[in-house]
Amino acid sequence: METYWTSFDTAETPVIQTDILVIGSGAAGLQTAWSLAEAGREVLVVARDELQDSNTAKAQGGIAAALGQDDDPTLHYQDTLVAGAGLTDESMARIVVTEGPDAVLDLLHHGARFDKNPDGTLALGREGCHSRNRIVHANGDSTGAEVSRALRAIAGEEKRIATLEHCYVTDLLVREGRCQGAMALHKGRTVRLAANGVVLATGGVGRLFAHTTNPEGATGSGLALACRAGAELMDMEFVQFHPTALAIPGRPSFLVSEAVRGAGALLYNTRGERFMPGYHPMKELAPRDVVARAIATEMKKCGSDHVWLDATGIEKVEEKFPMIFRTLLDYGVDMGKERIPIAPAAHYMMGGIRTDGWGRTTVKGLYACGEAACTGLQGANRLASNSLLEGLVFGRRAARALCQDIPENRPAEPEGSWKAELAPWTVSSREQAADRQQLQELMSRQLGIARDRDDLEQALETMDGLARKYEGRAAENPDQLDLKAQLLVSRLIARAALQREESRGAHYRLDFPEPRDCWKHHSIEENEGGTIHVQQNVG
């Protein structure tokens, strides 16, 4: 495996120096930066596009936190374990459900405009697999956008936080086992980012699939950076498919929040039959993996490319879900009067860069948090609305670890030099686009909701062939870098999925349809001398 994907010589490259480099501007990245600034640290936040472009900004449902009078962290903890299908790290779950309420209230007190009841208390909704109403939301169904806005406003007022947009980090610089910064393309120009500590908060991998709720930047680039730098990755086989994404040919896979089902929406197949009561006692509010598989089964049974989500029975639906209502109306669907055609779409990566409870990876000086990281909190299937919460909690904790591990606040000295010389990129943009489409269709078809050995082995063979075409070639722009990241991370997912011979949570094997106690553990992937190894029986 290549260590570097671009050609560069740091002796001839402009240098930007900072104390802590945060890569990514979603909830996890901005929370980390905010907490570091409050502790007196100088931070540079870089975003591949603009600061507001992140998975956070797209999140609809809300943030789960035990803030209701009938709720407590223990109940939230138990629900998290149920959703995680036996693979949730219990210590991580306790951290998040215990520290989560304070993180949410801290954001509220610093300007986040969450929805409230007439008496001034927080309005709390309910989503799948939650035993209580505990979903904090904003503008009904625009929670992520509000969290993103509030954090950007806080960061904008912090003199210790600098930001750099349109900055694509290409390679991490590691020497003697310690990360010392990164190389990046800033508006097409190669720059060196020298830092004492680096935080990866780059989001998920939805764009590996043909149908996804994720934005364009969710190509797994941060996971690819970490892997090439020698960091371990964990639970890469667990990719969550959101059950209810808009399914109209020619339209994007727009997410229809789980909160809509929490408010009473029902699922019907194209024969007009309500089907979820036959799959799970919690019906439409069953865990996401259960609902997604049920929908896929009904689509196959009926020979259709969608099922129906009926929200017509929700009173004042246009007020409760204004953004979803307006967007669907633009697509020609009035959710207050007619059923919505939906199908599952790639949504969230439970796996990622392996970290401890403080964001530390297995490479010194390199930290990760949010969807890019994997603490074991999400297990085999994330509980709804635990993602924004995870980003806030572990962003705060990563900042504390950085202050402890790197006590001196000073711009990093660009010590040492790095040089990489790769062959020119020779593949045309048209061929690149075709290869990317082939990869996405392959991932959706053979690494989607249902998998088996033959499909996984065939997929890996095809992916390896595609990857060889680009190996040793110097990427020169974001499209080329994205394709290389997609090829690497897809193979990481496929290898882990092939190894796990059972069905658990979001990982469903047709040839091993039941969970097996011998597989009740995490899987670890690491780069050893350019070869990826999957470890088994890791507790």
Side-chain angles (χ1 to χ4, degrees):
M1 179 193 297
E2 309 152 287
T3 301
Y4 303 116
W5 282 351
T6 58
S7 293
F8 60 86
D9 184 349
T10 57
E12 301 176 358
T13 305
V15 180
I16 298 174
Q17 297 169 255
T18 187
D19 179 19
I20 308 298
L21 171 65
V22 176
I23 305 170
S25 59
L30 291 178
Q31 177 66 70
T32 305
W34 172 22
S35 298
L36 283 165
E38 283 193 322
R41 307 303 291 261
E42 302 294 325
V43 188
L44 173 63
V45 177
V46 300
R48 57 173 289 158
D49 298 306
E50 296 182 355
L51 289 179
Q52 65 264 30
D53 295 322
S54 67
N55 275 353
T56 293
K58 302 292 184 183
Q60 296 175 2
I63 310 174
L67 292 166
Q69 291 185 351
D70 64 341
D71 201 3
D72 65 62
T74 300
L75 293 173
H76 189 182
Y77 167 80
Q78 292 169 349
D79 293 344
T80 299
L81 296 192
V82 170
L87 211 61
T88 300
D89 187 303
E90 295 181 5
S91 63
M92 298 300 169
R94 290 192 187 280
I95 287 170
V96 169
V97 301
T98 302
E99 298 181 14
D102 182 63
V104 173
L105 292 176
D106 194 24
L107 190 57
L108 174 67
H109 295 152
H110 281 81
R113 298 188 286 261
F114 295 131
D115 294 340
K116 295 183 179 181
N117 297 311
D119 63 2
T121 59
L122 284 170
L124 301 174
R126 187 173 177 185
E127 294 182 353
C129 213
H130 286 275
S131 59
R132 295 289 187 275
N133 283 28
R134 64 167 67 95
I135 311 303
V136 179
H137 47 83
N139 301 315
D141 54 2
S142 302
T143 312
E146 175 57 19
V147 169
S148 178
R149 182 209 63 78
L151 286 170
R152 293 199 314 274
I154 293 167
E157 294 175 358
E158 278 284 357
K159 294 180 180 179
R160 295 186 179 91
I161 298 177
T163 59
L164 206 60
E165 296 181 316
H166 304 289
C167 184
Y168 192 123
V169 175
T170 62
D171 304 285
L172 295 178
L173 300 176
V174 178
R175 179 158 291 156
E176 297 179 353
R178 182 174 187 82
C179 186
Q180 300 180 29
M183 300 300 296
L185 289 176
H186 179 230
K187 298 182 178 179
R189 186 182 70 158
T190 300
V191 295
R192 177 180 177 180
L193 307 173
N196 298 311
V198 176
V199 181
L200 291 170
T202 50
V205 304
R207 288 290 163 178
L208 272 58
F209 297 85
H211 304 287
T212 180
T213 63
N214 290 185
E216 284 293 333
T219 59
S221 58
L223 279 63
L225 283 169
C227 183
R228 290 185 286 130
E232 293 180 353
L233 292 98
M234 188 164 85
D235 293 348
M236 292 293 290
E237 62 268 44
F238 296 109
V239 180
Q240 186 176 81
F241 287 77
H242 198 288
T244 54
L246 181 68
I248 298 178
R251 298 292 191 179
S253 298
F254 171 73
L255 177 67
V256 181
S257 172
E258 190 158 322
V260 176
R261 279 177 285 133
L266 304 177
L267 287 164
Y268 295 86
N269 63 24
T270 51
R271 296 173 183 169
E273 302 161 338
R274 185 183 173 199
F275 56 86
M276 278 312 301
Y279 285 92
H280 195 277
M282 295 184 75
K283 304 171 187 176
E284 278 78 6
L285 296 182
R288 283 181 176 175
D289 63 303
V290 175
V291 181
R293 282 197 300 276
I295 291 171
T297 299
E298 294 296 316
M299 287 165 56
K300 184 176 182 180
K301 183 173 75 175
C302 296
S304 63
D305 61 359
H306 67 279
V307 297
W308 298 108
L309 179 67
D310 189 346
T312 58
I314 300 175
E315 188 177 352
K316 297 182 178 179
V317 67
E318 70 281 5
E319 296 179 14
K320 292 179 179 176
F321 305 104
M323 188 271 290
I324 295 174
F325 185 88
R326 289 194 304 271
T327 303
L328 290 177
L329 209 57
D330 288 342
Y331 293 154
V333 179
D334 185 340
M335 67 184 291
K337 298 178 181 178
E338 57 189 316
R339 293 174 175 177
I340 309 162
I342 59 90
H347 182 59
Y348 187 88
M349 166 55 85
M350 271 75 70
I353 306 160
R354 187 185 188 190
T355 72
D356 65 9
W358 298 95
R360 298 184 182 97
T361 73
T362 52
V363 174
K364 289 183 179 179
L366 182 64
Y367 302 73
C369 53
E371 189 175 353
C374 182
T375 63
L377 165 70
Q378 312 295 4
N381 183 42
R382 175 175 65 83
L383 178 66
S385 289
N386 265 4
S387 53
L388 289 176
L389 186 72
E390 177 190 31
L392 297 177
V393 169
F394 285 112
R396 286 156 57 119
R397 291 174 72 86
R400 288 165 61 188
L402 280 154
C403 292
Q404 177 182 320
D405 299 345
I406 309 169
E408 188 176 358
N409 179 30
R410 57 176 176 78
E413 293 295 331
E415 299 175 357
S417 62
W418 282 262
K419 187 175 183 178
E421 294 183 0
L422 284 75
W425 190 275
T426 57
V427 182
S428 70
S429 58
R430 177 177 294 181
E431 189 172 355
Q432 285 170 223
D435 287 345
R436 180 178 181 179
Q437 182 177 351
Q438 180 185 0
L439 178 64
Q440 291 173 321
E441 291 174 352
L442 182 71
M443 288 292 289
S444 291
R445 184 174 62 250
Q446 295 175 227
L447 278 115
I449 291 174
R451 306 159 174 178
D452 65 30
R453 174 172 293 279
D454 289 345
D455 277 350
L456 292 169
E457 289 179 341
Q458 182 186 15
L460 268 170
E461 183 178 352
T462 302
M463 291 172 191
D464 288 342
L466 286 171
R468 283 192 292 270
K469 182 191 298 189
Y470 299 94
E471 190 171 356
R473 304 289 177 182
E476 298 174 347
N477 59 53
D479 284 345
Q480 295 169 356
L481 287 158
D482 277 343
L483 179 56
K484 288 174 79 80
Q486 288 169 299
L487 284 165
L488 173 54
V489 178
S490 293
R491 286 177 290 157
L492 292 170
I493 293 171
R495 286 192 179 99
L498 183 60
Q499 288 280 353
R500 183 173 288 274
E501 295 181 335
E502 67 156 357
S503 291
R504 184 180 299 276
H507 172 70
Y508 185 75
R509 289 279 296 260
L510 293 167
D511 46 351
F512 296 96
E514 299 296 330
R516 301 165 69 190
D517 286 343
C518 63
W519 276 99
K520 201 173 182 180
H521 57 71
H522 301 292
S523 59
I524 307 296
E525 289 180 271
E526 58 182 334
N527 173 13
E528 294 181 354
T531 302
I532 297 294
H533 294 282
V534 184
Q535 299 179 20
Q536 301 182 39
N537 299 318
V538 177

